[in-house]
Amino acid sequence: MTHSGQPTPLEARKCQSLTGRVRVPGDKSISHRSLILGALAVGETRISGLLEGQDVLNTAKAMRAVGARVERMDEKGAIVWSVRGAGTGGFATPAAPLDFGNSGTGCRLVMGAVAGCPITATFDGDSSLRSRPMRRILDPLELMGARVISQSDGGRLPLTLAGARDPLPIVYRTPVASAQIKSAVLLAGLSAPGITTVIENEASRDHTELMLKHFGASIVSVPDGAHGRKISLTGQPELRGSDVVVPADPSSAAFPIVAALITPGSDIILTDVMTNPLRTGLFATLREMGASIEESETRSDAGEPMAQLRVRASRLRGIEVPAARAPSMIDEYLVLAVAAAFAEGSTVMRGLQELRVKESDRLEATAAMLRVNGVKVEIDGDDLIVEGRGHVPGGGLVATHMDHRIAMSALVMGCAADAPVKVDDTAFIATSFPDFIPMMQQLGAEFA
Ligand code: S3P
């Protein structure tokens, strides 16, 4: 579990300006996938830039527990993670329950991989993860032949899953736009004979598809409907261990970006930020609000685009963010709400029902974070409406609810609020962005 001992509160005070050049850590989604695909491949996978946050380290542990050799190597100062896989369908029964701590992604993707192997594994996590719904993953995995041996409270952790001896390929339309559901089905489909198809009404992040292709699988993705996709994977490929370079995480970059936009005089550069269009809804939204975010040095690696971003303090105005954009910025609404509070006018964010089942109920938690700092905010069904007044009074104590992104969003708010903003616990920041506090301080943030 992530949390051991006493909570660690922190206060952010209004700072001068944020300046400098940083690289935020590796992308969390790609980091999880590189370890899991490495463990399902034959031969060595060498990963550079892996996010060494608690969530990903738990996935690394789980991959060791099912038989992969996972090593962290220091090659003359450059850290490389080496994974020697067990091959598709080759996982071994773990000796103890797999503990995913706070991580829904690690847990759900590994459930998919386990479902395609003839083994039994118990999945567990911290109290936040134990409260999150797993039925959305178990439903398609049961159709493929996996069996739930035991579960808590209608499909919650801890639960024990027996993988399918002879997995069936299925055609599955996901009930919500979720890359976790899609990825779990595709990972189970690796062991099924024939073609496994996932159809989604709104396209979700496609890192699994891109990485499967990189490892040698035959996978095709075509548009389906106005915003959707149909993804077809040919089962039983021989995945080859491959090199993976993990770009910087746009969801982590979101925090210094918003901090720079709202703190007058700021001018920062973020290097190697992944700019996969299925992840950059926040950048598009902030630009519509008037943000100065310039991209340069664009390039791509294994199908994942990246760029250097220069962000300068900007006057922001409130806008309406359509529901269709949610999948491309699902983890960024908390920090967008902070930007919206510093904007002039109201920002309406539509279609946020999925925020209720993240590390915390992020819809309620975002509203509470803003309210306690003097911002007018309303939840209307699944929409969030923030009344921006160009400044934020601050002075509040924010409850983080075991959620890293609430802690970081509140500290970002404190960089420019009139009075200091305090968070009750920063421990969970280590799940996704272990260096957040020193990196922000290096840019000029005042945290104490
Ligand atoms: C992720 C998918 C998203 C996101 C999560 C990471 C992934 O969840 O919120 O942080 O890596 O697949 P959903 O797919 O459930 O929306």
Side-chain angles (χ1 to χ4, degrees):
M1 311 282 161
T2 302
H3 210 287
S4 48
Q6 293 298 308
T8 42
L10 193 70
E11 186 172 89
R13 294 172 176 278
K14 192 171 192 151
C15 63
Q16 286 297 313
S17 60
L18 298 174
T19 52
R21 179 189 175 92
V22 290
R23 188 195 197 276
V24 301
D27 185 69
K28 183 150 69 76
S29 295
I30 293 183
S31 294
H32 284 297
R33 286 159 173 80
S34 64
L35 291 166
I36 298 168
L37 287 195
L40 289 168
V42 171
E44 186 184 14
T45 289
R46 288 168 57 83
I47 311 162
S48 48
L50 187 89
L51 165 64
E52 295 185 338
Q54 286 299 328
D55 280 8
V56 174
L57 297 178
N58 282 327
T59 294
K61 256 191 234 158
M63 293 302 95
R64 279 193 196 110
V66 294
R69 209 168 106 198
V70 183
E71 285 170 302
R72 180 184 193 270
M73 302 180 309
D74 188 338
E75 296 183 346
K76 294 189 190 129
I79 302 301
V80 174
W81 282 73
S82 162
V83 184
R84 283 179 194 276
T88 305
F91 282 0
T93 292
L98 304 174
D99 183 354
F100 290 92
N102 197 245
S103 177
T105 305
C107 180
R108 289 171 170 150
L109 267 54
V110 174
M111 277 183 186
V114 163
C117 301
I119 64 166
T120 298
T122 297
F123 293 77
D124 206 354
D126 66 15
S127 59
S128 156
L129 190 55
R130 280 184 173 196
S131 74
R132 297 178 66 185
M134 296 296 157
R135 257 292 131 210
R136 52 175 57 197
I137 302 293
L138 300 175
D139 285 344
L141 297 182
E142 284 178 331
L143 292 175
M144 299 177 86
R147 280 177 309 117
V148 177
I149 308 288
S150 66
Q151 59 186 304
S152 311
D153 188 18
R156 287 183 163 70
L157 303 186
L159 69 80
T160 300
L161 188 68
R165 208 154 278 283
D166 297 302
L168 299 169
I170 58 168
V171 176
Y172 193 70
R173 186 178 281 277
T174 57
V176 286
S178 161
Q180 296 179 356
I181 303 176
K182 170 176 66 180
S183 301
V185 173
L186 293 173
L187 291 172
L190 283 172
S191 310
I195 297 188
T196 293
T197 301
V198 180
I199 304 165
E200 41 185 14
N201 293 338
E202 300 280 346
S204 66
R205 64 190 70 191
D206 60 357
H207 308 305
T208 303
E209 296 93 302
L210 293 172
M211 201 179 290
L212 279 169
K213 204 175 276 175
H214 182 56
F215 277 65
S218 167
I219 182 162
V220 179
S221 174
V222 294
D224 190 89
H227 307 286
R229 283 199 180 170
K230 179 175 168 188
I231 302 115
S232 307
L233 168 74
T234 305
Q236 302 180 334
E238 174 135 327
L239 296 181
R240 290 182 304 270
S242 303
D243 289 353
V244 177
V245 179
V246 184
D249 193 328
S251 300
S252 295
F255 300 104
I257 287 174
V258 170
L261 289 173
I262 62 176
T263 307
S266 297
D267 188 351
I268 63 167
I269 288 178
L270 300 168
T271 59
D272 302 336
V273 180
M274 190 240 288
T275 51
N276 180 322
L278 294 170
R279 291 287 299 281
T280 50
L282 176 74
F283 301 166
T285 302
L286 289 171
R287 285 184 178 121
E288 282 172 24
M289 295 172 79
S292 169
I293 305 174
E294 282 169 30
E295 280 181 31
S296 64
E297 299 188 20
T298 50
R299 59 186 204 285
S300 76
D301 193 284
E304 294 288 0
M306 63 194 97
Q308 175 170 298
L309 304 182
R310 179 176 182 191
V311 184
R312 280 176 279 188
S314 307
R315 285 177 78 90
L316 303 176
R317 54 186 173 273
I319 60 160
E320 182 166 329
V321 188
R325 200 174 286 169
S328 68
M329 54 180 296
I330 194 66
D331 293 333
E332 280 71 77
Y333 283 99
L334 295 94
V335 78
L336 173 63
V338 170
F342 284 90
E344 294 286 352
S346 65
T347 293
V348 183
M349 299 167 231
R350 300 217 183 270
L352 306 188
Q353 60 276 12
E354 275 297 294
L355 290 195
R356 295 195 185 274
V357 291
K358 294 296 177 186
E359 285 83 330
S360 66
D361 178 342
R362 286 186 173 162
L363 201 47
E364 290 297 338
T366 304
M369 166 181 78
L370 294 176
R371 269 189 206 119
V372 76
N373 285 288
V375 179
K376 202 166 155 236
V377 54
E378 193 191 325
I379 297 173
D380 180 12
D382 294 328
D383 301 343
L384 182 69
I385 303 153
V386 177
E387 300 297 340
R389 285 191 290 149
H391 78 108
V392 166
L397 169 62
V398 175
T400 54
H401 301 287
M402 303 175 78
D403 190 329
H404 53 134
R405 298 198 202 279
I406 295 175
M408 292 187 278
S409 299
L411 292 170
V412 163
M413 180 161 55
C415 290
D418 303 339
V421 172
K422 199 167 179 173
V423 299
D424 64 353
D425 193 6
T426 56
F428 286 85
I429 293 175
T431 61
S432 70
F433 196 162
D435 288 338
F436 172 76
I437 293 168
M439 195 177 280
M440 290 296 294
Q441 286 171 326
Q442 183 193 328
L443 292 172
E446 292 188 21
F447 296 162

